[in-house]
Amino acid sequence: MTNFSHALRDYRNFVHPHREYREAHIPDRDTLNVSWYVVNGALNDLAASSPRPTA
């Protein structure tokens, strides 16, 4: 998961609107799907590691 999250962070930096425009990059559905799974996995890891509130 860590390697994928680093790649996703690098991609996030790439899709800055000005840079995306300058380099004429248009992400496709496959890129979106892969990125979504990485983000979802990271959120699941965070949720699993966060302390549970006590009553």
Side-chain angles (χ1 to χ4, degrees), residues 8-21 25-27 31 35:
L8 184 61
R9 182 183 60 213
D10 291 341
Y11 186 75
R12 177 208 63 202
N13 293 339
F14 175 74
V15 296
H16 183 278
H18 183 68
R19 184 173 176 195
E20 189 173 358
Y21 172 77
H25 175 73
I26 300 172
T31 302
S35 299

mmCIF file of all heavy atoms in Angstrom, residues 8-21 25-27 31 35:
data_model
loop_
_atom_site.group_PDB
_atom_site.id
_atom_site.type_symbol
_atom_site.label_atom_id
_atom_site.label_comp_id
_atom_site.label_asym_id
_atom_site.label_seq_id
_atom_site.Cartn_x
_atom_site.Cartn_y
_atom_site.Cartn_z
ATOM 1 N N LEU A 8 0.516 7.527 -6.025
ATOM 2 C CA LEU A 8 -0.694 8.333 -6.114
ATOM 3 C C LEU A 8 -0.412 9.781 -5.726
ATOM 4 O O LEU A 8 -0.903 10.714 -6.355
ATOM 5 C CB LEU A 8 -1.794 7.746 -5.230
ATOM 6 C CG LEU A 8 -3.134 8.450 -5.304
ATOM 7 C CD1 LEU A 8 -3.699 8.405 -6.716
ATOM 8 C CD2 LEU A 8 -4.111 7.811 -4.327
ATOM 9 N N ARG A 9 0.395 9.984 -4.709
ATOM 10 C CA ARG A 9 0.742 11.346 -4.304
ATOM 11 C C ARG A 9 1.485 12.062 -5.428
ATOM 12 O O ARG A 9 1.202 13.223 -5.727
ATOM 13 C CB ARG A 9 1.593 11.328 -3.036
ATOM 14 C CG ARG A 9 1.929 12.733 -2.557
ATOM 15 C CD ARG A 9 2.816 12.733 -1.350
ATOM 16 N NE ARG A 9 4.065 12.068 -1.676
ATOM 17 C CZ ARG A 9 4.780 11.353 -0.823
ATOM 18 N NH1 ARG A 9 4.396 11.194 0.410
ATOM 19 N NH2 ARG A 9 5.896 10.786 -1.191
ATOM 20 N N ASP A 10 2.400 11.355 -6.083
ATOM 21 C CA ASP A 10 3.110 11.959 -7.208
ATOM 22 C C ASP A 10 2.140 12.317 -8.329
ATOM 23 O O ASP A 10 2.253 13.360 -8.955
ATOM 24 C CB ASP A 10 4.196 11.023 -7.741
ATOM 25 C CG ASP A 10 5.344 10.870 -6.766
ATOM 26 O OD1 ASP A 10 5.494 11.731 -5.866
ATOM 27 O OD2 ASP A 10 6.086 9.875 -6.893
ATOM 28 N N TYR A 11 1.177 11.439 -8.561
ATOM 29 C CA TYR A 11 0.180 11.709 -9.594
ATOM 30 C C TYR A 11 -0.692 12.898 -9.183
ATOM 31 O O TYR A 11 -1.014 13.747 -10.006
ATOM 32 C CB TYR A 11 -0.677 10.472 -9.848
ATOM 33 C CG TYR A 11 -1.618 10.671 -10.997
ATOM 34 C CD1 TYR A 11 -1.143 10.637 -12.307
ATOM 35 C CD2 TYR A 11 -2.962 10.924 -10.791
ATOM 36 C CE1 TYR A 11 -1.982 10.851 -13.372
ATOM 37 C CE2 TYR A 11 -3.819 11.135 -11.854
ATOM 38 C CZ TYR A 11 -3.325 11.095 -13.142
ATOM 39 O OH TYR A 11 -4.165 11.313 -14.190
ATOM 40 N N ARG A 12 -1.061 12.969 -7.921
ATOM 41 C CA ARG A 12 -1.845 14.108 -7.435
ATOM 42 C C ARG A 12 -1.109 15.407 -7.733
ATOM 43 O O ARG A 12 -1.705 16.387 -8.164
ATOM 44 C CB ARG A 12 -2.087 13.982 -5.935
ATOM 45 C CG ARG A 12 -2.848 15.182 -5.369
ATOM 46 C CD ARG A 12 -2.528 15.430 -3.920
ATOM 47 N NE ARG A 12 -1.121 15.768 -3.740
ATOM 48 C CZ ARG A 12 -0.465 15.634 -2.614
ATOM 49 N NH1 ARG A 12 -1.062 15.141 -1.552
ATOM 50 N NH2 ARG A 12 0.793 15.964 -2.516
ATOM 51 N N ASN A 13 0.197 15.414 -7.515
ATOM 52 C CA ASN A 13 0.980 16.606 -7.803
ATOM 53 C C ASN A 13 0.981 16.916 -9.299
ATOM 54 O O ASN A 13 1.025 18.068 -9.702
ATOM 55 C CB ASN A 13 2.410 16.449 -7.290
ATOM 56 C CG ASN A 13 2.458 16.399 -5.776
ATOM 57 O OD1 ASN A 13 1.538 16.849 -5.105
ATOM 58 N ND2 ASN A 13 3.513 15.824 -5.243
ATOM 59 N N PHE A 14 0.895 15.870 -10.101
ATOM 60 C CA PHE A 14 0.890 16.054 -11.552
ATOM 61 C C PHE A 14 -0.412 16.689 -12.020
ATOM 62 O O PHE A 14 -0.416 17.499 -12.936
ATOM 63 C CB PHE A 14 1.081 14.712 -12.262
ATOM 64 C CG PHE A 14 0.972 14.823 -13.759
ATOM 65 C CD1 PHE A 14 1.997 15.390 -14.487
ATOM 66 C CD2 PHE A 14 -0.150 14.388 -14.424
ATOM 67 C CE1 PHE A 14 1.903 15.517 -15.862
ATOM 68 C CE2 PHE A 14 -0.253 14.506 -15.793
ATOM 69 C CZ PHE A 14 0.782 15.071 -16.518
ATOM 70 N N VAL A 15 -1.522 16.312 -11.414
ATOM 71 C CA VAL A 15 -2.806 16.780 -11.922
ATOM 72 C C VAL A 15 -3.204 18.158 -11.389
ATOM 73 O O VAL A 15 -4.356 18.544 -11.463
ATOM 74 C CB VAL A 15 -3.950 15.767 -11.681
ATOM 75 C CG1 VAL A 15 -3.692 14.493 -12.433
ATOM 76 C CG2 VAL A 15 -4.155 15.507 -10.205
ATOM 77 N N HIS A 16 -2.250 18.903 -10.889
ATOM 78 C CA HIS A 16 -2.516 20.295 -10.567
ATOM 79 C C HIS A 16 -3.057 20.928 -11.851
ATOM 80 O O HIS A 16 -2.507 20.717 -12.933
ATOM 81 C CB HIS A 16 -1.227 20.989 -10.121
ATOM 82 C CG HIS A 16 -1.439 22.391 -9.698
ATOM 83 N ND1 HIS A 16 -1.514 23.420 -10.610
ATOM 84 C CD2 HIS A 16 -1.618 22.942 -8.480
ATOM 85 C CE1 HIS A 16 -1.719 24.543 -9.972
ATOM 86 N NE2 HIS A 16 -1.793 24.284 -8.675
ATOM 87 N N PRO A 17 -4.137 21.665 -11.769
ATOM 88 C CA PRO A 17 -4.801 22.151 -12.989
ATOM 89 C C PRO A 17 -3.879 22.842 -13.995
ATOM 90 O O PRO A 17 -3.962 22.576 -15.190
ATOM 91 C CB PRO A 17 -5.853 23.122 -12.451
ATOM 92 C CG PRO A 17 -6.147 22.617 -11.089
ATOM 93 C CD PRO A 17 -4.858 22.069 -10.563
ATOM 94 N N HIS A 18 -2.968 23.692 -13.504
ATOM 95 C CA HIS A 18 -2.095 24.386 -14.448
ATOM 96 C C HIS A 18 -1.119 23.422 -15.109
ATOM 97 O O HIS A 18 -0.885 23.500 -16.325
ATOM 98 C CB HIS A 18 -1.339 25.522 -13.752
ATOM 99 C CG HIS A 18 -0.482 26.309 -14.694
ATOM 100 N ND1 HIS A 18 -1.016 27.107 -15.684
ATOM 101 C CD2 HIS A 18 0.859 26.398 -14.821
ATOM 102 C CE1 HIS A 18 -0.025 27.650 -16.374
ATOM 103 N NE2 HIS A 18 1.116 27.244 -15.863
ATOM 104 N N ARG A 19 -0.562 22.523 -14.324
ATOM 105 C CA ARG A 19 0.386 21.564 -14.906
ATOM 106 C C ARG A 19 -0.327 20.617 -15.866
ATOM 107 O O ARG A 19 0.185 20.294 -16.931
ATOM 108 C CB ARG A 19 1.083 20.767 -13.803
ATOM 109 C CG ARG A 19 2.142 19.842 -14.340
ATOM 110 C CD ARG A 19 2.937 19.195 -13.251
ATOM 111 N NE ARG A 19 3.885 18.245 -13.819
ATOM 112 C CZ ARG A 19 4.512 17.341 -13.126
ATOM 113 N NH1 ARG A 19 4.338 17.266 -11.826
ATOM 114 N NH2 ARG A 19 5.347 16.504 -13.701
ATOM 115 N N GLU A 20 -1.519 20.191 -15.487
ATOM 116 C CA GLU A 20 -2.300 19.306 -16.356
ATOM 117 C C GLU A 20 -2.577 20.004 -17.690
ATOM 118 O O GLU A 20 -2.449 19.412 -18.758
ATOM 119 C CB GLU A 20 -3.602 18.936 -15.660
ATOM 120 C CG GLU A 20 -4.387 17.881 -16.362
ATOM 121 C CD GLU A 20 -5.573 17.432 -15.539
ATOM 122 O OE1 GLU A 20 -5.755 17.912 -14.409
ATOM 123 O OE2 GLU A 20 -6.333 16.602 -16.039
ATOM 124 N N TYR A 21 -2.962 21.282 -17.625
ATOM 125 C CA TYR A 21 -3.222 22.053 -18.842
ATOM 126 C C TYR A 21 -1.951 22.207 -19.673
ATOM 127 O O TYR A 21 -1.958 21.994 -20.886
ATOM 128 C CB TYR A 21 -3.783 23.428 -18.466
ATOM 129 C CG TYR A 21 -3.897 24.367 -19.632
ATOM 130 C CD1 TYR A 21 -4.943 24.232 -20.541
ATOM 131 C CD2 TYR A 21 -2.961 25.377 -19.816
ATOM 132 C CE1 TYR A 21 -5.048 25.089 -21.617
ATOM 133 C CE2 TYR A 21 -3.056 26.236 -20.889
ATOM 134 C CZ TYR A 21 -4.103 26.096 -21.791
ATOM 135 O OH TYR A 21 -4.191 26.940 -22.852
ATOM 136 N N HIS A 25 -2.515 16.794 -20.336
ATOM 137 C CA HIS A 25 -2.800 15.464 -19.791
ATOM 138 C C HIS A 25 -4.298 15.312 -19.524
ATOM 139 O O HIS A 25 -4.913 16.186 -18.916
ATOM 140 C CB HIS A 25 -2.040 15.251 -18.488
ATOM 141 C CG HIS A 25 -2.378 13.965 -17.812
ATOM 142 N ND1 HIS A 25 -1.941 12.764 -18.309
ATOM 143 C CD2 HIS A 25 -3.118 13.684 -16.719
ATOM 144 C CE1 HIS A 25 -2.403 11.803 -17.522
ATOM 145 N NE2 HIS A 25 -3.126 12.342 -16.567
ATOM 146 N N ILE A 26 -4.858 14.215 -19.993
ATOM 147 C CA ILE A 26 -6.261 13.924 -19.730
ATOM 148 C C ILE A 26 -6.323 12.527 -19.105
ATOM 149 O O ILE A 26 -6.081 11.526 -19.781
ATOM 150 C CB ILE A 26 -7.091 13.961 -21.027
ATOM 151 C CG1 ILE A 26 -6.997 15.343 -21.656
ATOM 152 C CG2 ILE A 26 -8.536 13.573 -20.741
ATOM 153 C CD1 ILE A 26 -7.613 15.435 -23.026
ATOM 154 N N PRO A 27 -6.620 12.445 -17.794
ATOM 155 C CA PRO A 27 -6.689 11.132 -17.158
ATOM 156 C C PRO A 27 -7.867 10.330 -17.721
ATOM 157 O O PRO A 27 -8.918 10.886 -18.043
ATOM 158 C CB PRO A 27 -6.895 11.447 -15.675
ATOM 159 C CG PRO A 27 -7.392 12.843 -15.635
ATOM 160 C CD PRO A 27 -6.919 13.520 -16.865
ATOM 161 N N THR A 31 -7.154 5.160 -15.004
ATOM 162 C CA THR A 31 -6.366 5.900 -14.023
ATOM 163 C C THR A 31 -7.229 6.262 -12.827
ATOM 164 O O THR A 31 -6.804 6.126 -11.675
ATOM 165 C CB THR A 31 -5.780 7.169 -14.666
ATOM 166 O OG1 THR A 31 -4.974 6.789 -15.782
ATOM 167 C CG2 THR A 31 -4.935 7.947 -13.674
ATOM 168 N N SER A 35 -6.595 4.864 -8.999
ATOM 169 C CA SER A 35 -6.397 5.863 -7.955
ATOM 170 C C SER A 35 -7.444 5.734 -6.860
ATOM 171 O O SER A 35 -7.134 5.856 -5.669
ATOM 172 C CB SER A 35 -6.451 7.271 -8.556
ATOM 173 O OG SER A 35 -5.429 7.430 -9.508
#
